[in-house]
Structure formats: structure tokens, C-alpha cells
Amino acid sequence: MTGSHVPDGARAGAGRYGRDLFEPQDPHEAGRIDAGALVYDPVTTRRLRALGAGPGWRCLEVGAGTGTVARWLLEEAGAGEVVALDRDTGALAALESPRLRVLTADLTDDSLRPGGFDLVHARFVLMHLPERRRLVSRLAGWLNPGGWLVLGDAVELPDVLDTSSAYRRTMDAMWQALRTTIGTDTSSVPAYPRFLREEGLRNVAAELVCPPLVAGSPLARFWSETWRRMRPALEATGHVDAEAVDEALAYLDSPRLAELGPGMAMAWGQRH
Ligand SMILES: C[S@@+](CC[C@H](N)C(=O)[O-])C[C@H]1O[C@@H](n2cnc3c(N)ncnc32)[C@H](O)[C@@H]1O
């Protein structure tokens, strides 16, 4: 079994992010998302800055989560307007600006028409939505001429020679459980540059970032929180029992921790 590429057949269920896993009402959910944002915001914002995000831009932050990127666009980049879209916008309550519009909506709702944007950004969102290819078209269709679509999602870099460690088995169980419960799939993330070209975008490029996984770091905290949230689903895969998950959690918090990945791939392209 190798991470997200597990050939485990079609999804068993028709669950959705936020309803069947990672419910936003859970008191630990915002902290989990914030831990991931702490790791990846510097990467994301460096790219958005390089693409020119700044004054006058109308931006759409898709799956805005706790709003860290929306806040950066407003407060650091000085964007003209930021629309922060999420199926649950409860975690955006602290974000206040006359240039912010909070849009509570499901991205898969076909009646959604948020307008035209100079930047559409989605991080760790499409990987969780089975309709991802159709959604790339949709997001590209919301770009103004000259506007940028920027997609960031996880890429697993599994040590395929390790078939037995508690860490590997827990990580693999996580990808399998995500896939069978809510349809998460990272196998098409390397195809994002091609998807953007297929949408007629130009100046398409991509990069892969794999921040160090060190005990006590926000990234280690993100994975341990994720596994804790998913514990019943992990054990239901049959690949790990409670003891293995405990061992994997202890390893994440130990100085012995030494792993590469998962990382984040970002791909971007510009409307003519
Ligand atoms: C893993 S979090 C990422 C949050 C944020 N983009 C970040 O990187 O910090 C995924 C976010 O996408 C939102 N989301 C999931 N499915 C959605 C959908 N169908 N429509 C809108 N938002 C969705 C979730 O509510 C959550 O805030």
C-alpha cells in the first residue's frame, strides 16, 4: 500500500468533508487547520506575492478555513476585495474588513456565481472533493482576463521500502480512510499543471514544497491532530489497531522522528 495511490477501488461511501469527517463544530478543528496554515502560509503567500497579488486585486479564497490567507491578502498584500468562501464560515468570525466578503457556500453548488476575480486560490480543498476536475474548470471560469488560478494540494512521498512501521501504516490508513469516507484523492495533484493548460491558461508552472517534519513542530501537530480526529476511521481500515496509532502518535512526538513528506504541490496559471 503506497499512500494515496492505494488501488482500493471506488469510494465506499458518499461522505463529505465537514459533515462525515473534520466537522467544524469540533473544538479542535480550527487549531488543526491553523497548524497546517502556520506551515504552509509562508510558501503560499510568497507565491501569491510573486504573481503580483496586491492593491486593486479582487481575490477569491476558496475553502478559506480559518482565514489566514484571506487575512494576508487583505492586510499584507492590500488586495482590493477578498471573497472568503467556505461551506462553513464559523472560523472566519474574527476576520473583519470592509474589503472582505464572507460567502458561506458549497463549492460544488452549480448555482454559485461569485463573479470575476484577479486571483482564485484553493489550498487543501480540491483534494477532498471528488468533483475536482470539474471544479478546476469552474474556478478557471471565474478568472478575469489576466487573472491567476492557484491550486495547492497534498502530495504523498511514501517510503515504499517501509511496509511495516506504525507511522507508515497509520499514514497509509489515513489516505485510505479519507478516500473511502469522503473521496479524498491526491493522485491527480501532479496533473494540475496539465489541467490548467487544458483550461486554456498560460504561464502555467508548478512547484513542490516538503517542509521538515520535526517533533513538536506545527506540522507534526497537524498530523497528530488529524490522526486523533480520524481515529475510528483509521482503525476501521483494518490496517492499524489502537496500539499502532498510539505508537505512530508517540513517534511523531519523539526525537527519533525522521520522515520525508507529505508535501504540498502548487500549480498556477493565468487567463488570457
Ligand atoms: C483542509 S481545510 C483547508 C483550509 C485552508 N484552505 C487552509 O489551507 O488553511 C479545507 C477547507 O475547505 C472547506 N471545504 C470543504 N469542502 C468544501 C466545499 N464543498 N465547499 C466549500 N468549502 C469546502 C472546509 O470547510 C475547510 O475550511
Side-chain angles (χ1 to χ4, degrees):
M1 190 165 60
T2 56
S4 59
H5 303 278
V6 184
D8 56 5
R11 305 172 55 199
R16 301 300 292 184
Y17 188 108
R19 190 191 69 197
D20 302 282
L21 261 183
F22 308 131
E23 297 85 344
Q25 298 78 20
D26 184 288
H28 299 291
E29 183 55 11
R32 190 185 72 87
I33 291 185
D34 273 342
L38 263 177
V39 180
Y40 287 106
D41 277 1
V43 179
T44 300
T45 58
R46 189 188 64 216
R47 179 55 49 200
L48 299 184
R49 176 79 82 194
L51 295 177
W57 279 36
R58 184 161 193 262
C59 307
L60 176 65
E61 175 62 3
V62 177
T66 57
T68 58
V69 173
R71 183 188 296 279
W72 180 87
L73 285 166
L74 288 163
E75 297 178 2
E76 304 293 326
E81 185 188 356
V82 176
V83 177
L85 181 156
D86 205 291
R87 60 177 297 285
D88 186 295
T89 51
L92 297 173
L95 207 55
E96 273 180 26
S97 165
R99 292 175 288 121
L100 171 71
R101 193 176 131 221
V102 173
L103 181 55
T104 308
D106 190 317
L107 183 61
T108 62
D109 174 355
D110 286 332
S111 66
L112 198 57
R113 303 259 185 285
F117 297 91
D118 305 300
L119 170 70
V120 174
H121 172 246
R123 185 179 69 188
F124 303 136
V125 181
L126 296 188
M127 59 184 271
H128 294 300
L129 301 176
E131 309 85 347
R132 61 192 65 81
R133 179 64 191 89
R134 178 170 69 79
L135 293 173
V136 173
S137 300
R138 191 133 204 255
L139 297 179
W142 292 340
L143 292 174
N144 289 333
W148 290 93
L149 175 56
V150 182
L151 305 175
D153 263 322
V155 175
E156 175 63 292
L157 300 161
D159 170 5
V160 293
L161 303 180
D162 171 11
T163 53
S164 61
S165 75
Y167 170 87
R168 186 70 261 149
R169 286 187 296 131
T170 304
M171 195 58 109
D172 287 347
M174 177 196 78
W175 291 118
Q176 182 174 330
L178 282 171
R179 185 188 185 115
T180 53
T181 50
I182 59 172
T184 301
D185 188 355
T186 59
S187 62
S188 57
V189 177
Y192 283 2
R194 174 165 55 84
F195 292 171
L196 297 178
R197 275 189 280 115
E198 287 169 0
E199 295 306 321
L201 303 189
R202 60 179 176 157
N203 297 323
V204 172
E207 68 179 328
L208 176 63
V209 178
C210 195
L213 182 56
V214 179
S217 66
L219 189 54
R221 206 163 65 239
F222 173 79
W223 289 119
S224 55
E225 269 305 318
T226 301
W227 292 349
R228 284 197 177 91
R229 297 288 319 272
M230 292 184 64
R231 224 182 150 116
L234 295 179
E235 293 174 26
T237 63
H239 293 298
V240 283
D241 56 15
E243 202 183 328
V245 177
D246 283 341
E247 188 183 333
L249 285 167
Y251 174 61
L252 265 188
D253 203 24
S254 89
R256 291 178 296 113
L257 178 62
E259 303 291 339
L260 178 67
M264 177 176 75
M266 284 183 89
W268 55 90
Q270 187 177 30
R271 163 79 49 224
H272 283 280

